Amino acid sequence: MSNNKTLGLTSKILIGMGAGILVGLLLRNLFPESLFVKDYLTEGLFNVIGAIFISSLKMLVVPLVFVSLVCGTSSLSDPSKLGRLGGKTIAFYLFTTAIALSVAILLAVIIHPGSASLASSTMEFSVKEAPSLSEVIINIVPDNPVQAMTQGNMLQIILFAVIFGFAISHIGERGERVARFFNDLNEVIMRVVTLVMQLAPYGVFALMAKLSLTLGLETFGSVVKYFLLVVLVLLIQALIVYPTLLKVFSGLSPFMFLRKIRDVQLFAFSTASSNATLPVTIETSEHRMGVDNKIASFTLPLGATINMDGTAIMQGVATVFIAQVFGIDLSLTDYAMVVITATLASIGTAGVPGVGLIMLAMVLNQVGLPVEGIALIIGVDRLLDMIRTAVNVTGDTVATVVIAKSENAFNEDVFNDSQAGKAATSFEEQVFNSKNK
């Protein structure tokens, strides 16, 4: 059985994605007004399969983040090492976010995607009020850790897990027993991740089919230039900026990295959620990239919560686009304020529903632009959200690899081995191999 050639997970996901898009477009064109397609396929079969797939990923996020972070933190008995790791991680994330915003604003000013003719459109938009800085700081500390876990409040979970793991490392033999339990539990959860990943091609097929059936392509017409510009900057960030930073700060091969990150990017694109993709990101970082668990378990959950380079790119382009539509000239000071506000807001609004639009509303208010302009770009935001999520998880993984290398918690042999940790075997083969160990 081990000699049989099977399609790798990446190939299966790509086939599922392509088949889903094709099926969705065919059904949309052949049966444009069919109630059967709408009720039993779009909102029925495809919706159910896609929702189950997303739920199966999300169900792993809280236990995976908590357990893996406890494991990683409990192995860092030196407080200065933990502080250094946190400082490096946050600094790297803020640095890449500032680069993303700067590139986005520069290209938007040069290409000029906005047209004053769009200002006559009916524009109505309401956004939830973002929390104040004091509320953000207070809300980081959980008054009820169990409630934080049930609500999926990632910042609170991260803080509690760090404190819990740090306590384990400082109570001697009893702490060692608890640490061994969490390490065993972490292995169990990672195996569950492997099993869930087998559902990916089917879940991706359903999600893409539903998207193709429901996405209003007519909304692209008025903002196609904006859409293409955002995609261009996202590609620059993912294919030029990140690989360059990886090479400069770690000396590792960008081509090997991009080859191994494909599964994570496809998951992120399909789910449009960094948190839902987190189990796959951690599994890939540890087993395919060679990152030690004590680094990956800390940097990746934090990155999924506060690192929003893709969203920052959208904000930069959207700010310039809306200013051009309304004929408002922004000064260099305004542009600088956009970069500073959006970079800091990437942490300040973490965990808030609709975070991308909330952050954009904050930025627009900061430079005196009408928030109603957001209504112009809502139509294409869903597809852009999928692309920028793929960029976000790429940035999370680059930061994790760079920081692991700097902390001597990185296995370069695993990174350079193209087959290391590759999820290329079928579920049946994994069962067969486990029985014959």
Side-chain angles (χ1 to χ4, degrees):
M1 176 179 280
S2 60
N3 294 326
N4 291 339
K5 291 186 176 180
T6 58
L7 289 173
L9 183 62
T10 303
S11 300
K12 291 178 181 178
I13 293 174
L14 284 172
I15 291 172
M17 184 178 294
I21 294 173
L22 180 61
V23 169
L25 291 176
L26 285 174
L27 290 173
R28 180 175 180 147
N29 289 310
L30 293 176
F31 311 102
E33 304 295 333
S34 173
L35 292 177
F36 175 85
V37 171
K38 180 181 178 182
D39 294 339
Y40 292 97
L41 294 180
T42 306
E43 300 301 330
L45 181 63
F46 297 150
N47 182 56
V48 169
I49 295 176
I52 289 175
F53 173 58
I54 296 295
S55 296
S56 67
L57 289 172
K58 288 185 175 180
M59 76 175 179
L60 295 173
V61 172
V62 170
L64 176 63
V65 169
F66 179 72
V67 173
S68 63
L69 199 48
V70 167
C71 291
T73 310
S74 63
S75 66
L76 300 173
S77 57
D78 184 1
S80 63
K81 189 172 184 179
L82 181 60
R84 184 176 70 249
L85 180 61
K88 281 183 179 180
T89 304
I90 294 175
F92 194 93
Y93 286 146
L94 292 179
F95 176 61
T96 58
T97 301
I99 292 177
L101 273 163
S102 301
V103 173
I105 290 174
L106 178 62
L107 289 182
V109 170
I110 294 173
I111 297 177
H112 203 285
S115 171
S117 61
L118 297 175
S120 59
S121 302
T122 301
M123 291 178 290
E124 295 181 4
F125 178 78
S126 60
V127 66
K128 295 181 180 179
E129 184 178 353
S132 64
L133 180 60
S134 60
E135 289 177 316
V136 170
I137 295 174
I138 293 171
N139 290 334
I140 289 176
V141 182
D143 55 4
N144 186 338
V146 176
Q147 184 182 46
M149 292 180 187
T150 58
Q151 294 178 346
N153 191 318
M154 297 308 297
L155 281 180
Q156 293 186 355
I157 294 170
I158 289 170
L159 180 63
F160 180 69
V162 168
I163 295 172
F164 194 82
F166 187 73
I168 289 175
S169 67
H170 284 76
I171 57 172
E173 185 180 344
R174 288 171 295 180
E176 292 176 2
R177 289 199 300 268
V178 176
R180 285 195 295 271
F181 167 76
F182 272 94
N183 285 323
D184 290 342
L185 187 57
N186 189 53
E187 290 297 320
V188 174
I189 293 175
M190 292 309 297
R191 175 52 63 118
V192 177
V193 171
T194 302
L195 298 179
V196 170
M197 287 172 66
Q198 305 303 317
L199 300 174
Y202 311 103
V204 168
F205 169 82
L207 290 169
M208 292 298 103
K210 181 181 177 183
L211 181 67
S212 299
L213 282 164
T214 58
L215 189 64
L217 299 179
E218 65 277 358
T219 61
F220 279 63
S222 60
V223 290
V224 63
K225 202 171 181 181
Y226 159 82
F227 175 85
L228 293 176
L229 179 56
V230 174
V231 172
L232 172 64
V233 184
L234 289 171
L235 291 176
I236 290 174
Q237 185 77 5
L239 302 179
I240 298 178
V241 175
Y242 288 147
T244 301
L245 293 176
L246 180 71
K247 186 65 176 178
V248 170
F249 288 108
S250 70
L252 298 171
S253 168
F255 300 103
M256 182 63 72
F257 174 85
L258 291 173
R259 180 179 179 179
K260 292 191 170 188
I261 197 67
R262 288 181 300 183
D263 286 349
V264 179
Q265 292 172 330
L266 288 172
F267 267 89
F269 180 83
S270 304
T271 62
S273 171
S274 296
N275 281 335
T277 311
L278 191 55
V280 184
T281 315
I282 292 178
E283 196 272 345
T284 299
S285 296
E286 293 182 10
H287 299 112
R288 298 217 66 200
M289 299 289 183
V291 177
D292 194 294
N293 171 264
K294 65 185 178 184
I295 302 296
S297 64
F298 181 84
T299 58
L300 290 173
L302 191 61
T305 307
I306 70 172
N307 184 41
M308 301 181 183
D309 292 354
T311 304
I313 287 170
M314 179 274 289
Q315 293 164 5
V317 176
T319 300
V320 178
F321 173 76
I322 292 171
Q324 292 168 350
V325 167
F326 287 93
I328 300 173
D329 293 326
L330 298 178
S331 64
L332 288 176
T333 303
D334 291 328
Y335 289 129
M337 189 58 64
V338 170
V339 173
I340 295 171
T341 303
T343 301
L344 295 178
S346 66
I347 293 179
T349 57
V352 179
V355 64
L357 297 180
I358 289 176
M359 290 169 63
L360 179 55
M362 290 172 59
V363 173
L364 294 177
N365 283 327
Q366 186 66 40
V367 292
L369 292 175
V371 177
E372 293 77 14
I374 297 177
L376 288 169
I377 61 175
I378 287 180
V380 297
D381 194 63
R382 168 61 183 172
L383 187 54
L384 286 177
D385 191 24
M386 299 167 70
I387 303 173
R388 62 180 182 248
T389 303
V391 173
N392 287 341
V393 297
T394 304
D396 296 344
T397 312
V398 166
T400 298
V401 170
V402 168
I403 292 168
K405 190 78 159 50
S406 71
E407 293 287 325
N408 295 319
F410 182 77
N411 190 327
E412 195 162 343
D413 291 335
V414 172
F415 180 87
N416 290 323
D417 182 359
S418 61
Q419 300 300 315
K422 189 174 182 180
T425 57
S426 67
F427 175 61
E428 291 79 7
E429 284 181 287
Q430 291 185 33
V431 173
F432 177 83
N433 292 334
S434 66
K435 288 181 178 179
N436 288 276
K437 282 186 178 179

